Amino acid sequence: MSNKTLVIAEKPSVALDIVRALTPKSGKFEKHDEYHENEHYVVSSAVGHLVEIAAPEGQDPKRGKWSFANLPVLPTHFDLAPIDKSKGRLSALAKLIRRKDVDRIINACDAGREGELIFRLIVQYAQPARGKFEKTIERLWLQSMTPEAIRDGFANLRADAVMLPLADAARCRSEADWLVGINGTRAMTAFNSRDGGFFLTTVGRVQTPTLSIVVEREEKIRKHVPRDYWELRASFDAQAGRYEGKYIQPGFKKGDDEHARADRVWDKAQAEAIAAAVQGQPATVTEESKPSSQASPGLYDLTTLQREANSRFGFSAKTTLALAQALYEKHKALTYPRTDSRHLPEDYLKVAKETAQVLSKEGLAELARHAATALAKDYIKPTKKVFDNTKVSDHFAIIPTLQAPGALSEAEAKLYELVVKRFLAVFFPPAEYQVTTRISTAAGHQFQTNGKVLVNPGWQAVYGKEAQDEDALLTPVAAGEVVRTESVDVKGLQTKPPARYTEATLLGAMEGAGKLVDDDELREAMNERGLGTPATRASIIEGLLNEKYMLREGRELIPTAKAFQLMTLLRGLEVEELTRPELTGQWEYQLNQMEKGKLAREAFMAEIARMAERVVAKAKSYDRDTVPGDYATLKTPCPNCGGVVKENYRRFACEACDFSITKIPGGRSFELPEVEQFLVDKRIGPLEGFRSRMGRPFTAELQLVFDDEIKNWKLEFDFGDDKSEDDGQPVDFSGQTSHGPCPKCQGHVYEHGSNYVCEHSVGAHVTCDFKTGKIILTQPVDEAQIHKLLHTGKTDVLENFVSNRTRRAFKAMLAYDKKEGKVVFEFEPRPERPAKKAPAKKTTKA
């Protein structure tokens, strides 16, 4: 019996690709339940992570109460535990690893830190408890999933010794996450649960600093006080026609005032005086015109691809990663997507030309033409902007492969086109402009007009920008001509707070977390690092959303009260290192150093253990009644005694008596204007966004009720008319006309209480759960709109929705989402704009 090589891929689809690539040279494979086998190879796969690390037996805090008595948890070694849903696959792989005729194992998991960890933990789990493990291990490192690339990878396998530093970094990442997550989460949960109840408070090595960035931005937004300012726009009459200019302060320099601009006047009287001074006056004109060029952006790494797809199409980071992974694995159309490099190896020039050749014949119609142009004009040259070995680590930039894709979904096609455009554009010459700055001076005051004429589109031709926009052309003024100030418009405006993060801008902030650091040396040291890795950033954002630390509203990410509460706690306990981007960036840097063999695993883990000990010690020793923070004093007096009501860490409480109410009833946080209104009116709602103990969303009113037993007011939920929906009593709809068919069961939909409901969702025999509010976020939904929703699937655009959290008005359609089984918001597509943002349709729960 000849010895065989076991190949372990990360997913079954990759295992199948490897089998197909090896068959021509090594012979036909026979298919078994969990693997493929021929004379030389056994090929199988994991299904992602099959094993997770666990504390050694007897030290697992899951078996004990979540209390300080069991903390800190600092095991001397980590045991492994199978992940329940994948036990069958793990058992099958363990048997293959132990087979006596298998003397060599090839790690064919994804080329990166996580792929290395998946493989190492499986092999460790499968090793016998006693005796030596004497099988040779090698690494298959794939950047592309085409058959040629797979065969080339097998011809250039990496030795196990070369991969051990990456394996160390992978284990450290996993164990560090476990140590900080277990100790931090359990310490904060124990602290928050001291007064009874169970308040799960999760923290993480990367998620908490990421959340801190979002919370700090929201704090700036909330603290922003609008300042009035005025802009002046003058209309000038020249011989050739009319043009506009904006008033600018001569010699303006940016100072400490972040809102100061050259075109802002802070005093209304001054603005009106300038307008009066120049009205009807002659103006002299000076012009400066010079050529300008703009080079193409670099190739995509994963983070820039995720940011662009979020900006253009509204794709979440998670969606973009899944699409890119499918284009890599399933369609073989893109190179490895989980990369942080935006360059190609210097020996890749030939492949780049071959790729353009494929695109010129089989690419998308317009792009095929540009690929042919790049080849015909010899644009693809060995430039450092594209080909640079010093900017390529284990992976290079995301580019198309030599394999043209077959049938793609609409979303896959959009992402593939983005990558193809960027790949072609990067070789095209710069776009060339003629930029003109005109200064019109009237009565000593200067007005500026800018013009920008596209002379040669260069790379922008790939994005469809062939012709110049008309509004960029300036009305010509003859040399020495004096124009007349025809009119001046004084416009009153207000400063705006910084914009909320979207996934695109948060990914950018995570990638450039070092820029948020004040210390010059640390900032320089973090220049090439950030929060997480390109492969993990999407899952970090999704984790924060799943934990309800953030909400998506349209494209904005909004931190919840739970997020503010966590930041207040960490700051108050003086364990702010958990919130600091520089610390996590430093850890990521150290893991990268470890991958290069420049840092010992033991040194890194010792540092993590010291931090875990300190976090637990701080929380355990904290003995103040409340956590210090930036808390509010309410304007409304206590309903019980007329005293002053103040916010503290967990409640709104009166200083003079025992009155208090929770800040987060039913998992939904009170905004300050809401709690003020609630104390005045003793009632508020109906409000959306509450969640039951089972995690189900519900809508209800809140009321303050006087309790004679405690001689004080207490908060209660009031479900109003909707109580009758759940009391099991028959409901008579005979006097009503049906608004239309139920989209879930085709029953009739009628008005009932504060909702429109399916006739089968109420009464004694409930078989359906369809209902939607008659008022949603302050927007009434009248009979005509519910009729339209039920008969066509969506309403007209309704303009008076008001966000519960931001208090901002927005407009949207209501649409029935079959997959979600409920009514959701659907936003109008953005207008098509060449080379900018393409239409995006986004739905959120209504």
Side-chain angles (χ1 to χ4, degrees):
M1 180 175 65
S2 63
N3 287 336
K4 294 190 175 183
T5 297
L6 171 63
V7 181
I8 300 177
E10 191 165 319
K11 300 183 187 71
S13 62
V14 178
L16 199 57
D17 290 333
I18 289 171
V19 166
R20 289 169 181 154
L22 292 178
T23 297
K25 288 194 175 181
S26 68
K28 188 177 179 183
F29 282 79
E30 186 178 338
K31 187 179 185 305
H32 299 266
D33 284 345
E34 304 283 356
Y35 61 94
H36 297 77
E37 185 171 2
N38 71 5
E39 189 180 344
H40 305 286
Y41 292 99
V42 180
V43 180
S44 188
S45 77
V47 279
H49 280 278
L50 303 183
V51 183
E52 59 188 352
I53 60 169
E57 193 172 345
Q59 293 189 43
D60 188 351
K62 289 180 183 176
R63 302 183 181 202
K65 190 179 177 184
W66 284 33
S67 73
F68 286 121
N70 299 315
L71 297 173
V73 182
L74 300 169
T76 53
H77 73 280
F78 289 90
D79 291 339
L80 298 178
I83 294 173
D84 287 342
K85 65 180 182 180
S86 314
K87 277 184 176 177
R89 180 56 64 107
L90 178 62
S91 176
L93 277 175
K95 284 180 184 175
L96 294 175
I97 289 168
R98 293 174 189 145
R99 263 176 53 167
K100 291 184 178 175
D101 63 335
V102 169
D103 66 345
R104 185 171 73 138
I105 305 174
I106 294 176
N107 174 7
C109 293
D110 282 3
R113 196 190 291 163
E114 283 308 294
E116 199 68 26
L117 182 67
I118 289 169
F119 174 81
R120 296 285 171 175
L121 295 185
I122 291 169
V123 171
Q124 180 184 335
Y125 180 84
Q127 286 180 20
R130 293 186 178 88
K132 287 186 176 181
F133 186 77
E134 296 180 338
K135 306 196 180 199
T136 302
I137 291 176
E138 292 180 283
R139 184 60 150 114
L140 177 68
W141 197 264
L142 297 178
Q143 302 279 19
S144 171
M145 291 301 297
T146 62
E148 296 79 15
I150 293 171
R151 286 191 285 269
D152 186 54
F154 271 89
N156 295 280
L157 293 168
R158 299 184 180 186
D160 187 49
V162 175
M163 305 311 299
L164 290 178
L166 179 64
D168 279 349
R171 288 181 186 277
C172 281
R173 197 280 309 155
S174 181
E175 291 169 11
D177 278 355
W178 194 94
L179 280 173
V180 174
I182 288 290
N183 287 287
T185 295
R186 288 168 195 267
M188 298 310 127
T189 300
F191 184 91
N192 278 338
S193 304
R194 274 177 163 171
D195 301 330
F198 181 73
F199 298 93
L200 178 61
T201 311
T202 60
V203 299
R205 186 178 69 91
V206 179
Q207 75 166 41
T208 305
T210 301
L211 182 63
S212 174
I213 292 172
V214 181
V215 168
E216 286 177 13
R217 174 66 60 86
E218 192 69 19
E219 286 173 338
K220 285 184 180 178
I221 292 169
R222 291 184 179 186
K223 289 176 181 176
H224 174 76
V225 178
R227 289 168 62 191
D228 293 334
Y229 69 91
W230 286 264
E231 284 185 354
L232 291 88
R233 289 182 178 273
S235 180
F236 297 98
D237 265 354
Q239 291 174 11
R242 186 170 290 184
Y243 67 91
E244 279 196 352
K246 182 188 281 190
Y247 170 76
I248 56 165
Q249 301 171 47
F252 172 81
K253 288 184 180 177
K254 187 79 172 170
D256 294 334
D257 185 349
E258 63 176 321
H259 294 293
R261 305 282 188 278
D263 57 359
R264 290 182 177 178
V265 179
W266 297 107
D267 181 77
K268 184 180 182 182
Q270 182 189 354
E272 290 176 341
I274 294 169
V278 301
Q279 177 75 43
Q281 296 300 310
T284 58
V285 179
T286 59
E287 273 188 359
E288 182 184 354
S289 187
K290 58 185 179 181
S292 173
S293 65
Q294 181 187 5
S296 150
L299 295 170
Y300 286 123
D301 61 8
L302 178 59
T303 302
T304 51
L305 182 61
Q306 287 170 319
R307 292 178 66 186
E308 185 106 356
N310 181 254
S311 297
R312 285 177 177 265
F313 311 127
F315 293 167
S316 70
K318 178 183 177 183
T319 297
T320 298
L321 177 55
L323 292 170
Q325 198 73 18
L327 287 163
Y328 164 67
E329 277 179 22
K330 179 182 172 185
H331 300 288
K332 319 293 182 290
L334 293 185
T335 56
Y336 184 75
R338 297 168 185 257
T339 175
D340 60 359
S341 175
R342 301 186 68 184
H343 293 76
L344 299 176
E346 289 167 17
D347 61 1
Y348 228 69
L349 180 66
K350 180 172 178 285
V351 179
K353 289 183 177 179
E354 289 171 352
T355 305
Q357 194 74 45
V358 170
L359 293 171
S360 71
K361 293 176 181 174
E362 301 185 52
L364 304 159
E366 273 300 301
L367 296 180
R369 179 169 66 84
H370 295 304
T373 300
L375 291 166
K377 297 193 175 181
D378 196 25
Y379 285 161
I380 304 175
K381 295 176 179 175
T383 167
K384 281 287 185 184
K385 179 182 176 178
V386 180
F387 304 98
D388 189 343
N389 287 346
T390 65
K391 302 289 180 63
V392 174
S393 53
D394 294 319
H395 307 295
F396 51 72
I398 304 170
I399 63 169
T401 64
L402 296 170
Q403 189 162 319
L408 300 179
S409 69
E410 183 183 353
E412 287 170 341
K414 282 181 174 178
L415 201 72
Y416 179 68
E417 185 177 346
L418 265 191
V419 176
V420 172
K421 280 182 174 178
R422 183 62 63 92
F423 170 74
L424 293 174
V426 81
F427 296 111
F428 270 62
E432 296 174 5
Y433 296 91
Q434 191 69 23
V435 178
T436 302
T437 303
R438 175 181 296 169
I439 303 293
S440 306
T441 306
H445 298 290
Q446 295 184 355
F447 292 80
Q448 183 172 304
T449 311
N450 297 315
K452 189 177 182 182
V453 176
L454 184 63
V455 177
N456 182 358
W459 65 270
Q460 291 196 358
V462 177
Y463 287 85
K465 190 150 188 177
E466 300 286 359
Q468 174 59 40
D469 298 332
E470 286 183 14
D471 60 3
L473 296 172
L474 281 177
T475 300
V477 174
E481 181 183 347
V482 176
V483 299
R484 182 176 182 276
T485 313
E486 180 63 28
S487 62
V488 187
D489 178 35
V490 179
K491 189 172 185 181
L493 299 165
Q494 286 189 322
T495 57
K496 293 181 180 179
R500 284 192 174 86
Y501 282 106
T502 63
E503 285 204 42
T505 55
L506 182 55
L507 284 166
M510 292 171 75
E511 183 179 42
K515 294 173 185 173
L516 303 172
V517 177
D518 292 329
D519 184 277
D520 289 342
E521 287 185 11
L522 262 183
R523 186 166 58 246
E524 182 63 30
M526 286 185 65
N527 193 36
E528 294 181 6
R529 275 153 281 145
L531 290 172
T533 66
T536 61
R537 285 175 191 138
S539 62
I540 292 160
I541 293 172
E542 289 298 321
L544 290 169
L545 290 162
N546 292 337
E547 287 290 336
K548 303 296 181 260
Y549 279 124
M550 299 191 307
L551 299 172
R552 275 195 192 101
E553 195 164 283
R555 293 192 184 184
E556 292 183 334
L557 298 173
I558 302 170
T560 61
K562 184 179 177 183
F564 280 92
Q565 189 177 30
L566 174 61
M567 291 304 143
T568 299
L569 177 58
L570 296 176
R571 293 165 186 169
L573 296 183
E574 298 177 341
V575 289
E576 285 185 88
E577 58 263 47
L578 281 173
T579 72
R580 287 177 182 155
E582 59 261 47
L583 182 73
T584 303
Q586 185 65 31
W587 289 357
E588 198 59 54
Y589 171 67
Q590 289 175 329
L591 292 173
N592 288 335
Q593 291 292 96
M594 200 180 300
E595 289 177 16
K596 297 169 185 173
K598 296 179 181 179
L599 178 68
R601 164 169 159 73
E602 294 74 21
F604 177 83
M605 292 310 301
E607 183 182 324
I608 300 296
R610 282 193 294 273
M611 179 187 171
E613 283 181 309
R614 181 177 179 277
V615 168
V616 171
K618 278 285 187 180
K620 191 183 287 190
S621 64
Y622 197 86
D623 58 2
R624 293 179 220 176
D625 291 337
T626 186
V627 178
D630 185 14
Y631 298 122
T633 299
L634 300 188
K635 298 171 187 172
T636 310
C638 169
N640 190 49
C641 73
V644 175
V645 178
K646 287 194 170 184
E647 177 190 12
N648 63 35
Y649 179 59
R650 295 252 308 273
R651 305 182 71 79
F652 295 103
C654 177
E655 289 191 314
C657 73
D658 292 335
F659 170 77
S660 74
I661 57 172
T662 177
K663 285 165 66 174
I664 312 177
R668 180 195 184 279
S669 66
F670 267 124
E671 300 294 340
L672 286 176
E674 290 177 343
V675 77
E676 300 271 16
Q677 180 190 339
F678 184 49
L679 295 185
V680 170
D681 299 341
K682 309 290 192 294
R683 175 177 291 276
I684 192 169
L687 301 174
E688 295 188 329
F690 298 110
R691 288 193 175 270
S692 70
R693 289 176 185 173
M694 301 295 290
R696 294 187 181 125
F698 66 90
T699 300
E701 292 189 18
L702 295 174
Q703 58 183 353
L704 274 179
V705 178
F706 192 80
D707 188 320
D708 289 323
E709 190 175 325
I710 63 172
K711 304 297 181 191
N712 211 328
W713 296 85
K714 65 179 183 180
L715 180 153
E716 288 184 353
F717 283 99
D718 180 4
F719 296 94
D721 295 334
D722 293 344
K723 282 182 180 176
S724 61
E725 295 174 25
D726 302 313
D727 61 10
Q729 297 301 311
V731 180
D732 182 11
F733 291 118
S734 60
Q736 287 193 44
T737 302
S738 169
H739 291 294
C742 169
K744 294 193 92 166
C745 73
Q746 301 305 305
H748 291 288
V749 172
Y750 299 100
E751 287 184 41
H752 182 53
S754 59
N755 292 302
Y756 297 106
V757 303
C758 173
E759 61 185 328
H760 301 135
S761 70
V762 293
H765 304 289
V766 172
T767 58
C768 181
D769 62 358
F770 176 79
K771 73 173 182 178
T772 185
K774 288 159 70 175
I775 299 176
I776 297 176
L777 297 182
T778 77
Q779 167 69 59
V781 182
D782 61 25
E783 292 182 13
Q785 293 299 333
I786 191 66
H787 183 275
K788 192 161 189 174
L789 174 69
L790 297 174
H791 286 86
T792 70
K794 64 178 68 174
T795 65
D796 296 329
V797 176
L798 306 176
E799 300 196 349
N800 297 313
F801 295 107
V802 177
S803 163
N804 275 329
R805 297 195 175 269
T806 64
R807 315 313 298 168
R808 288 183 182 176
F810 66 94
K811 58 183 180 179
M813 293 170 277
L814 295 174
Y816 182 73
D817 187 318
K818 289 183 181 177
K819 188 176 177 183
E820 291 270 345
K822 61 184 68 177
V823 175
V824 300
F825 293 119
E826 187 173 295
F827 299 96
E828 286 185 289
R830 294 187 175 195
E832 185 80 59
R833 288 190 291 177
K836 291 186 182 176
K837 295 181 182 177
K841 187 176 279 187
K842 177 84 173 177
T843 60
T844 58
K845 293 175 186 177

